[in-house]
Amino acid sequence: MGLILPWLLAALLIIAALAVLAVVLTRRRRADVRTGTPLAHTDRLTTLPGYHRALLRYRALLAALVVAGLVLFSSAAVLAARPSATIATYPQTANRDIVLCLDVSGSMIDYDVAITRAFGALAEEFDGERVSLVVFNASAVTYFPLTSDYAYIRSQLERIATQFESPDGAYFDGTFFGEGSSLIGDGLAACTLRFDTPDQARSRSIILATDNLEVGRSIFTLPDAGALAADHDIRVYGINPGDTTSRDYLAQYAEEFRQVTTRTGGDYYALDDAGAIPAIVDRIGSQQATVMRGAPQLVAADTPVLPAVLALLSLASIIGIAGRLRR
Amino acid sequence: MPSLLRKVKSKLSIHAHRRVSALLEGEYSSLLHGRSVEFDDLRHYVPGDELTDIDWKATARMGTPMTRRYVATRKHTIMFVADTGRDMAAISAAGETKADIAVLAAGVLGYLATRHGDLVGLIAGDSGHTGFRRAASTDGHLEGVLQFIHAATTLDSRPSDLTTQLSYLARRFRRRMIVVVVSDDRRLGDTETALLQRLAVQHEILWITICDADPTSGELASATVFEVADGARLPAFLRSSHGLAHEYAERVAADARAIGDLFDRLGITTTRIEREADVVPAVLRLLVEHRRARR
């Protein structure tokens, strides 16, 4: 708590003190002037016990009036001096671009469904984030570009999830232009190029889901694509359903995948069960949020509530007391 | 300066058609002149005349009641003792200045006295100063007496202190007089009681009390009110406090009873006046009561 105009408070208090002093002095000078209706022998009245009780009540009310007046004036003076509180804000939390980069080879479909569904649920909480979906097999296709239209994002994610599940899904259209399948290096490299605002200070990340069963020749190797992402300041979060003990022969690729993701500052999740995916997506979302918490900015905001309420209450009691005294 | 005596006369003439004026005459005559033995003349009976003074033979002859009049043995002296302290500059129960009512009451009695050739004197003052007007019997002198009371009573006067005037009276006069005290609802201390006790033996004392205003009354509720003795304000909040009016009324009644008892004991006739309109009836009442009390 602080005051934006502390000198004003001091000035008002000094003025008030002078005013009170002036009133007291003039009253003292005026005390002897007899105006009004002259009465004699009022000691008959003033020595009555009832009068004494009334006098005590009168003095109590006067004291309350003075106190209420003091509270009113000081709270008004404090209000005039603008009480403020310094609030730390953390900007940029919702300043993210996320590209979902899904391997749509046959072995990945179950996981892709889980990821899109989980991401659709996560999109409910987004505010300011932009999301894009890229699917790849031999070649990469932008299913929808970076957008913050969450209704659209949800509908598109739902649509592709339905396509994944239907036998004649069109999700793989355009993903076979290339030699082989699951060309993960090319897929990642394509995804790094989907960020349309390289000049803006936004956090960029790619959620790359692949079993890393690369068949054929890709233009970019996975480490090359990882280096490209790192150059563009993009974090890569890897989800690898193929990295399990049942597929030990892939351990070398899995290790490579892990190293690529960690090198970009991202994370790597190996799993066997599609049911774990929503938890992982959640974790990536929140991890991103903490990572992106920028330096706190201090903002001084007016906090007039307490003095304003005090002023109102004291004003109300002044009116009440004055009414009783006038009775 | 407007004539105060003219005001007194006009006050009396207002009452003339109600025969209060004539009653006053009768009461005053019987008060002071009914005791002489030397027959003077006959006149028509006026209410208030002593029944024993009616000449029944003459009444039978004339067919209308006739009253014997006697020659006064000597001139009487009416000595007014008036309080002209600042207490009397306060207002009365009806809102008029108490001094104005006092002037009027003294004027009515004084006018009756001068008409009968009696002498009217004045001892008036406050705690600091006592003024004296010798007894005389002219209208001009009476006017001077009334003017003195009128001019001396202001809010800037010194506090009221009837003791000073009463002890002046006790010190200076040896002969018997009719003493008419014009004061207000003051309480009498031991000194004053002792003085009165001593004076009541020497003189006939009539006491005119001008009633003080009731500070708890509704008419004063919105007024700024102060006590003349010390200038202290009496806030309306305090005066209009619940139940205080009743308490005050009881106190005033108790004080009035106490002083009434004292006056009864000392043989002092008294009357209370609240407003100018009541002056003439109140003076009449005073005279009637005094006549009855003497018997």
Side-chain angles (χ1 to χ4, degrees), chain A:
Chain A
M1 287 293 275
L3 295 173
I4 294 178
L5 309 169
W7 57 268
L8 187 59
L9 177 64
L12 284 173
L13 287 180
I14 290 170
I15 289 171
L18 290 178
V20 167
L21 200 68
V23 167
V24 166
L25 286 181
T26 52
R27 268 197 77 90
R28 187 163 293 169
R29 208 173 301 148
R30 219 178 40 184
D32 243 19
V33 178
R34 292 150 189 225
T35 53
T37 310
L39 286 188
H41 304 301
T42 54
D43 52 329
R44 276 204 184 87
L45 178 73
T46 54
T47 52
L48 288 174
Y51 186 88
H52 187 65
R53 282 195 299 276
L55 190 63
L56 289 180
R57 229 169 22 243
Y58 184 63
R59 287 192 176 143
L61 281 175
L62 279 184
L65 195 66
V66 168
V67 168
L70 283 178
V71 171
L72 175 62
F73 182 82
S74 36
S75 49
V78 167
L79 263 183
R82 294 184 64 193
S84 64
T86 308
I87 300 167
T89 57
Y90 298 90
Q92 291 191 4
T93 45
N95 203 4
R96 298 186 276 165
D97 289 347
I98 301 170
V99 172
L100 277 175
C101 200
L102 303 182
D103 180 352
V104 290
S105 60
S107 55
M108 279 294 293
I109 295 306
D110 286 349
Y111 301 102
D112 288 342
V113 170
I115 288 172
T116 48
R117 288 265 153 81
F119 219 80
L122 197 64
E124 303 269 352
E125 299 158 18
F126 282 168
D127 179 24
E129 287 93 340
R130 296 196 303 164
V131 179
S132 171
L133 176 61
V134 174
V135 294
F136 72 91
N137 194 349
S139 56
V141 168
T142 302
Y143 202 82
F144 59 85
L146 278 171
T147 175
S148 54
D149 183 346
Y150 301 118
Y152 175 72
I153 292 169
R154 271 198 303 281
S155 71
Q156 289 299 307
L157 288 173
E158 189 52 41
R159 184 166 152 234
I160 199 169
T162 333
Q163 286 178 351
F164 284 144
E165 284 164 342
S166 71
D168 53 0
Y171 60 89
F172 44 73
D173 287 352
T175 60
F176 296 121
F177 299 106
E179 297 174 15
S181 74
S182 287
L183 298 183
I184 176 174
D186 286 358
L188 181 56
C191 287
T192 60
L193 299 177
R194 291 301 183 271
F195 294 96
D196 52 357
T197 54
D199 302 332
Q200 287 182 14
R202 293 176 77 88
S203 133
R204 297 182 177 80
S205 47
I206 294 172
I207 298 176
L208 176 61
T210 175
D211 53 6
N212 207 11
L213 279 172
E214 194 170 24
V215 180
R217 282 188 50 225
S218 60
I219 302 165
F220 280 84
T221 63
L222 184 57
D224 285 347
L228 184 67
D231 282 351
H232 285 81
D233 235 359
I234 299 167
R235 289 192 184 81
V236 178
Y237 294 88
I239 298 176
N240 188 359
D243 186 7
T244 58
T245 46
S246 59
R247 299 182 186 178
D248 271 346
Y249 59 97
L250 290 173
Q252 190 192 336
Y253 295 112
E255 178 57 22
E256 185 189 58
F257 192 8
R258 198 186 62 75
Q259 280 176 4
V260 165
T261 57
T262 48
R263 210 170 293 145
T264 61
D267 228 331
Y268 174 78
Y269 304 94
L271 79 163
D272 198 11
D273 177 15
I277 282 179
I280 291 170
V281 171
D282 267 356
R283 205 188 310 164
I284 293 172
S286 58
Q287 195 177 5
Q288 268 291 81
T290 39
V291 166
M292 273 320 297
R293 179 155 285 195
Q297 288 195 352
L298 298 180
V299 177
D302 285 292
T303 53
V305 176
L306 185 66
V309 167
L310 271 179
L312 272 177
L313 287 180
S314 50
L315 184 62
S317 42
I318 285 175
I319 291 171
I321 295 169
R324 280 214 58 188
L325 284 177
R326 284 219 143 258
R327 181 175 59 90

Side-chain angles (χ1 to χ4, degrees), chain A residues 34-51 53-55 57-58 61 324-325 327, chain B residues 87 90-91 184-185 187 212-213 215-216 224-228 233-235 237-238 240-241 244 247 251 255:
Chain A
R34 292 150 189 225
T35 53
T37 310
L39 286 188
H41 304 301
T42 54
D43 52 329
R44 276 204 184 87
L45 178 73
T46 54
T47 52
L48 288 174
Y51 186 88
R53 282 195 299 276
L55 190 63
R57 229 169 22 243
Y58 184 63
L61 281 175
R324 280 214 58 188
L325 284 177
R327 181 175 59 90
Chain B
D87 279 6
I91 63 161
D184 61 359
D185 260 333
R187 269 159 296 177
D212 272 304
T216 64
T224 312
V225 166
F226 70 94
E227 159 67 51
V228 286
R233 284 269 161 82
L234 292 178
F237 176 82
L238 297 176
S240 58
S241 175
L244 200 57
E247 213 176 329
R251 175 70 163 277
D255 281 356

